[in-house]
Amino acid sequence: MFRRCGVQFKLPKLLGTLAVFAVVGVLGGLLGGLEAIAQFFGKNIGSAHNATGALFVMVSAFPGYTLLSPEQLPFRRERGAGVSMPAYFLAKQCFNVLDIFIPTFVFVAMAWLLSFPDIPFSELFLIYLGLSVYCTSIGVLIGTVFSGNVGLLMTVIAPVELFNFFSGVLVPLKDFPTPIFWMAHAGPGLWFMEAVTVCTFRQWPEGMQSDAALRKFNLEDTGFLLRFDAGWGAPAYFGILCLLGLFFRLEAAMIMHHLPKVPQYQSQVMQAWARLTGSVHHLHATKEQERDHMQGKESMLALSV
């Protein structure tokens, strides 16, 4: 199974992905390094990083979406021939590590070299790596449910909206109702903004860290003060983002486990709704459909002989 997935791993595809991430990284670095941005946001750390993070989120889910979406029908055919779903899914996830690590490193290198933020490169890379794991996991989940233009559109919209709406930049976190505030903890925006804010604030001189106005502006109003005083760093936020992303990948594995072994004659919307709502019995073919499918296979084999 690992050999099969290794054959599917293509270097030209990775090079194209790296080119896209490099261009977006340059744009993010130029945007973060603009003097106008620094003057507008002043000492607000999270807002200065929001634009670069939003650009990254726009493209980071695609390596996860393309992992499984093009292989929905081939996987169902091979599963009917006895291919193990857990082995297939695990092998694909292992090769997806390359699609996460290398493009993220290229993006962070471009953005960091052009903007030179106060946060060290290693910590910034670890934070973006966790964000990449989260976004690619959403792409994996979308790729198991949708395909084609519908899936591509959702791959762009879903991570960006989760990031921007719950980042605290468009709408301050303190203005959210209590249920929505706790829902924000399941999105990437809150943890990313807190990570870059806490790690950057800790790099400032002691005089600035003890300044009441700066602490209120960056930590107290946004609710990051408790975890800053507790000593949280980039590894902690990396772990949180990875755990949240793992939930999406487990959900994708459950959906793939319940995929039918024979083609269905229903609309894509009905199939997607059945998968999301857990109505697994709607996904399986009727006896007449299975009989017609087997007769079609036997006819094709007879013609090939």
Side-chain angles (χ1 to χ4, degrees):
M1 184 58 65
F2 278 91
R3 181 181 301 176
R4 176 186 179 277
C5 294
V7 171
Q8 293 177 345
F9 180 79
K10 298 180 180 179
L11 184 60
K13 176 185 174 182
L14 178 60
L15 293 178
T17 303
L18 293 180
V20 173
F21 275 77
V23 171
V24 176
V26 170
L27 294 176
L30 292 175
L31 186 61
L34 286 176
E35 185 65 23
I37 297 293
Q39 292 178 357
F40 180 77
F41 290 119
K43 294 298 183 181
N44 190 327
I45 301 171
S47 298
H49 283 273
N50 179 70
T52 305
L55 287 174
F56 178 78
V57 170
M58 288 181 61
V59 297
S60 59
F62 281 100
Y65 174 75
T66 57
L67 185 69
L68 298 174
S69 177
E71 298 189 20
Q72 288 184 7
L73 291 179
F75 166 73
R76 287 162 60 185
R77 182 185 66 246
E78 294 181 7
R79 187 184 177 195
V83 173
S84 172
M85 191 285 296
Y88 170 83
F89 189 82
L90 179 61
K92 295 293 287 185
Q93 302 309 307
C94 291
F95 280 96
N96 189 230
V97 173
L98 296 175
D99 293 329
I100 296 175
F101 187 90
I102 302 177
T104 303
F105 180 85
V106 172
F107 174 89
V108 176
M110 294 293 101
W112 193 84
L113 289 174
L114 292 174
S115 60
F116 290 105
D118 294 334
I119 183 173
F121 176 83
S122 58
E123 295 185 4
L124 186 65
F125 172 68
L126 197 59
I127 294 170
Y128 270 99
L129 188 62
L131 182 62
S132 180
V133 171
Y134 185 101
C135 294
T136 53
S137 299
I138 294 180
V140 170
L141 178 58
I142 295 174
T144 59
V145 180
F146 299 95
S147 61
N149 295 332
V150 175
L152 289 173
L153 185 62
M154 294 191 65
T155 302
V156 176
I157 293 177
V160 173
E161 292 302 320
L162 282 173
F163 181 87
N164 287 328
F165 187 73
F166 293 126
S167 65
V169 175
L170 296 179
V171 180
L173 296 174
K174 62 181 180 180
D175 294 341
F176 282 135
T178 301
I180 299 181
F181 173 76
W182 289 110
M183 286 176 57
H185 289 74
L190 184 148
W191 295 113
F192 173 82
M193 289 301 171
E194 181 174 332
V196 295
T197 300
V198 168
C199 293
T200 302
F201 198 82
R202 191 167 284 119
Q203 299 297 320
W204 287 358
E206 292 294 334
M208 296 180 66
Q209 293 187 30
S210 59
D211 185 273
L214 288 179
R215 289 177 68 88
K216 180 177 178 59
F217 192 41
N218 288 285
L219 300 176
E220 293 181 9
D221 284 350
T222 50
F224 303 157
L225 184 60
L226 291 178
R227 286 183 281 270
F228 173 80
D229 292 337
W232 283 37
Y237 295 105
F238 169 77
I240 291 174
L241 289 169
C242 288
L243 287 176
L244 292 174
L246 181 62
F247 170 79
F248 294 110
R249 292 179 185 264
L250 291 177
E251 180 67 21
M254 293 177 60
I255 292 174
M256 290 188 64
H257 177 71
H258 292 295
L259 280 175
K261 297 181 181 180
V262 296
Q264 298 300 294
Y265 304 95
Q266 301 175 357
S267 67
Q268 186 177 0
V269 175
M270 293 178 62
Q271 293 185 26
W273 174 253
R275 296 174 194 173
L276 291 175
T277 57
S279 304
V280 181
H281 60 281
H282 293 301
L283 288 172
H284 294 281
T286 63
K287 293 182 179 180
E288 291 78 11
Q289 289 175 338
E290 292 183 359
R291 184 180 64 250
D292 294 340
H293 177 69
M294 294 303 297
Q295 290 177 354
K297 290 178 61 178
E298 292 174 358
S299 299
M300 293 298 295
L301 289 174
L303 291 175
S304 62
V305 173

